[in-house]
Amino acid sequence: MRMGRRLGLLLLAFAAAWGSPALAYDRAQIAAQACFGAAGLSEAAATLTAGAASATSEDAAWAATLTGALLDKTIRCGAGASTIESPSGSVDAATLAKAAPADGPAPVLSLKNRPLVETARAAATLFAGATAGERAAALRALERRAASLPPDLFETAAAREPDAGLKEQILGVGQSALLNSPDVAKRIAAIERIAAQPSRRAETQIAALKRDPAYGKEAAFAAAVDAGLTSIDRWLRVSSVANTLYNGLSFASILFMAAVGLAIIFGLMGVINLAQGEFIMLGAYVTYAVQEALRAVAPGLLEWYLILAIPVVFLVVAAVGVALEATLVRRLYTRPLMTLLATWAVSLLIVNLVRVGVGTQNLQFVTPSWLAGGKLLVGDFIVTWNRLFAIVFAGVTLVATWAVLKRTRLGLNIRAVTQNRAMAGCIGVPTRRVDMMAFGLGSGLAGLAGLALCPIYNVNPQMGSNFVIDSFMVVVLGGVGTLAGTVVAALGVGQINVLIEPLYGAVAAKVIVLLMIVGFLQWRPEGLYAVKGRRK
């Protein structure tokens, strides 16, 4: 009798697994299977998993409830119908209608059938999950067992999925599952679809097929594997070059912003401002202050604190620069060595003041939603929004600086004083005031560099020293006081750094770049672009 019932259950499971979509879950039979020992549990889980793709939304929701009750041990098996304990009372396991609680124990899940029940629950949740997060979690659970699942499960789930991003993920998992399909044509089609989206993961998946017996027996299969690997390798090389250029461009953008203020100060007054790195650090700290102020006063604007901080950062750091020029640097114009020592002392003072006042820890910045993540373009090349922000911000700063120097009276005076201070003074240009304003302009630009660094680098009191040496290299290589030279030099130094660093490390890359610049200056001492200054 017992063998006959088990045979009947097996036949029902087979019919549910391989039957037509018209066959809905036999809820009563599956609920009974779940209470029929370890074998019945396995059969019930297999039936639910195999029928997930053809089940209705109501059946999928019921299957998720039943398997959840099995895993949570809230199902009770009695002499009659099994029931599920819920916060609102007991319900019938087959109909989910209110019912008297069964007096039996909950089925015991063994190490063998627990994964089967978990898979059945994930398959049901993939179709009946209320939120995209629930369905995504179910997909992650199914991904580990994708090869053992029905091939049409993921295709059907993708067709029903309303979330576009999750739909792409489901299709990706489904294609991976088809790689192990017994149908060679489906495997070849899956290889072609995976190769069309090249990535390291796709390369690993397809490369593993070289150990598959079909690779040595099926010529078409072997050709598809080889062609897929060749295509992926080609696109990965392209994406590697694109990644290097993109990272180099973002680093060059930061270098330009750090160096352009220094170029103005050095080109106009001949002052080697060793506090320029600390002005960059001050810009980052002022940005942090704006963020915290918005968090306290206007939390709704916190998403846009980087944009709102731009004028604040420029004005605050420029004011610090003007104060430094008026109180200290102005008195040392005739003694270049003293200006170098004085600005170095100021840099140490600023660093220690920040250490005492704020601390030495890295500041925690909020990442706005519009700066989080990026866009995958080809292979492994992702355009990250935070680096794109730095590039665009540097471009806007370049245009604004060019407009100030070429289209305003201040810029005209700066250029006049840079080319011939004595003559400019003779025709009425207030050279001392121009010095002060230029020092403030250069300091404010350094502060904006600190703002651009916030979404990318760690912000702490020592961050400025990491950029001051590179900034001087850019200024000297580009030609003192030239905007075009600063742009070209920043692009060159940034790209060469990014190219060499993966090969020899960060320190060796800086030494190699420095040696290259020294060698270049031996051939062209005035740098890439030369202008006449008051010291020539």
Side-chain angles (χ1 to χ4, degrees):
M1 182 67 183
R2 189 178 181 86
M3 287 297 295
R5 184 180 180 185
R6 177 168 295 182
L7 180 60
L9 292 174
L10 285 172
L11 290 174
L12 284 172
F14 180 81
W18 301 105
S20 66
L23 289 177
Y25 285 140
D26 187 340
R27 299 186 182 186
Q29 188 63 43
I30 294 173
Q33 284 179 315
C35 290
F36 196 71
L41 269 174
S42 299
E43 292 159 6
T47 302
L48 292 173
T49 303
S54 57
T56 62
S57 300
E58 293 76 12
D59 277 346
W62 169 78
T65 302
L66 178 67
T67 50
L70 287 168
L71 293 169
D72 298 338
K73 297 183 178 180
T74 56
I75 187 171
R76 292 290 179 267
C77 300
S82 54
T83 59
I84 297 174
E85 296 176 357
S86 66
S88 58
S90 295
V91 296
D92 188 275
T95 63
L96 300 184
K98 288 188 177 180
D103 54 358
V108 178
L109 297 180
S110 65
L111 293 177
K112 180 181 178 182
N113 55 31
R114 174 176 284 275
L116 298 177
V117 176
E118 289 175 344
T119 301
R121 184 186 190 183
T125 306
L126 186 63
F127 288 91
T131 64
E134 291 180 8
R135 298 193 295 277
L139 179 64
R140 288 193 293 272
L142 293 175
E143 189 174 7
R144 297 192 293 270
R145 308 180 180 96
S148 63
L149 297 174
D152 61 336
L153 187 145
F154 296 105
E155 293 180 4
T156 307
R160 297 183 188 177
E161 177 55 51
D163 186 284
L166 183 56
K167 184 174 185 175
E168 290 295 324
Q169 296 178 34
I170 295 173
L171 286 173
V173 175
Q175 289 163 6
S176 300
L178 286 175
L179 288 178
N180 298 312
S181 171
D183 190 334
V184 174
K186 288 185 177 180
R187 300 182 76 181
I188 293 175
I191 291 171
E192 292 173 349
R193 285 196 293 269
I194 292 175
Q197 299 174 349
S199 66
R200 297 290 176 191
R201 182 182 179 187
E203 185 181 38
T204 303
Q205 285 180 315
I206 297 180
L209 297 177
K210 282 193 169 184
R211 298 189 294 273
D212 193 284
Y215 184 78
K217 298 177 181 176
E218 299 283 348
F221 181 79
V225 170
D226 293 338
L229 288 175
T230 302
S231 173
I232 290 174
D233 182 65
R234 181 171 61 252
W235 282 112
L236 287 181
R237 289 175 184 273
V238 172
S239 66
S240 177
V241 173
N243 269 319
T244 301
L245 292 176
Y246 184 65
N247 291 337
L249 184 59
S250 65
F251 184 55
S253 302
I254 299 298
L255 277 183
F256 164 75
M257 297 189 63
V260 65
L262 192 64
I264 293 174
I265 295 172
F266 195 22
L268 177 67
M269 296 173 282
V271 173
I272 301 175
N273 180 23
L274 289 183
Q276 192 74 2
E278 279 57 49
F279 288 158
I280 296 173
M281 180 264 290
L282 282 180
Y285 273 77
V286 174
T287 305
Y288 180 75
V290 172
Q291 171 193 282
E292 294 305 302
L294 288 175
R295 191 198 299 277
V297 178
L301 297 176
L302 190 60
E303 186 81 357
W304 303 101
Y305 77 93
L306 281 173
I307 304 298
L308 297 174
I310 291 174
V312 180
V313 168
F314 181 82
L315 292 175
V316 170
V317 182
V320 173
V322 169
L324 175 63
E325 195 277 340
T327 57
L328 184 62
V329 176
R330 175 172 297 183
R331 293 170 173 76
L332 302 173
Y333 280 155
T334 56
R335 290 176 286 177
L337 181 60
M338 289 301 295
T339 60
L340 188 148
L341 294 175
T343 53
W344 181 43
V346 169
S347 71
L348 296 177
L349 176 64
I350 293 174
V351 169
N352 285 288
L353 284 175
V354 173
R355 283 177 175 169
V356 172
V358 184
T360 59
Q361 72 282 0
N362 291 330
L363 297 183
Q364 299 298 318
F365 284 88
V366 174
T367 302
S369 59
W370 50 277
L371 274 187
K375 175 70 175 177
L376 178 64
L377 292 185
V378 60
D380 292 335
F381 176 47
I382 300 176
V383 176
T384 52
W385 302 136
N386 56 354
R387 290 188 179 274
L388 184 62
F389 170 75
I391 294 171
V392 173
F393 192 57
V396 173
T397 303
L398 169 63
V399 173
T401 305
W402 178 86
V404 169
L405 293 179
K406 299 293 184 181
R407 293 288 185 266
T408 66
R409 188 174 186 83
L410 172 63
L412 179 64
N413 289 339
I414 289 176
R415 285 184 286 139
V417 174
T418 301
Q419 292 176 10
N420 194 319
R421 173 176 289 268
M423 182 61 72
C426 289
I427 61 175
V429 175
T431 56
R432 290 301 186 191
R433 184 182 302 171
V434 170
D435 288 343
M436 183 177 63
M437 297 300 293
F439 205 97
L441 175 63
S443 304
L445 290 173
L448 293 182
L451 183 147
L453 283 170
C454 291
I456 303 175
Y457 292 94
N458 293 328
V459 173
N460 53 54
Q462 291 78 34
M463 65 175 291
S465 59
N466 296 330
F467 292 94
V468 68
I469 295 177
D470 288 332
S471 301
F472 274 108
M473 287 196 296
V474 168
V475 170
V476 173
L477 177 63
V480 176
T482 63
L483 189 60
T486 304
V487 174
V488 175
L491 287 172
V493 172
Q495 291 291 354
I496 293 173
N497 255 302
V498 172
L499 284 173
I500 297 177
E501 197 169 309
L503 301 176
Y504 304 105
V507 176
K510 288 191 181 300
V511 172
I512 293 172
V513 171
L514 178 62
L515 292 176
M516 292 173 66
I517 292 175
V518 170
F520 178 80
L521 293 178
Q522 295 299 313
W523 170 62
R524 192 178 174 85
E526 67 275 15
L528 292 170
Y529 297 85
V531 294
K532 290 183 179 180
R534 64 169 178 157
R535 293 182 180 279
K536 294 190 175 183

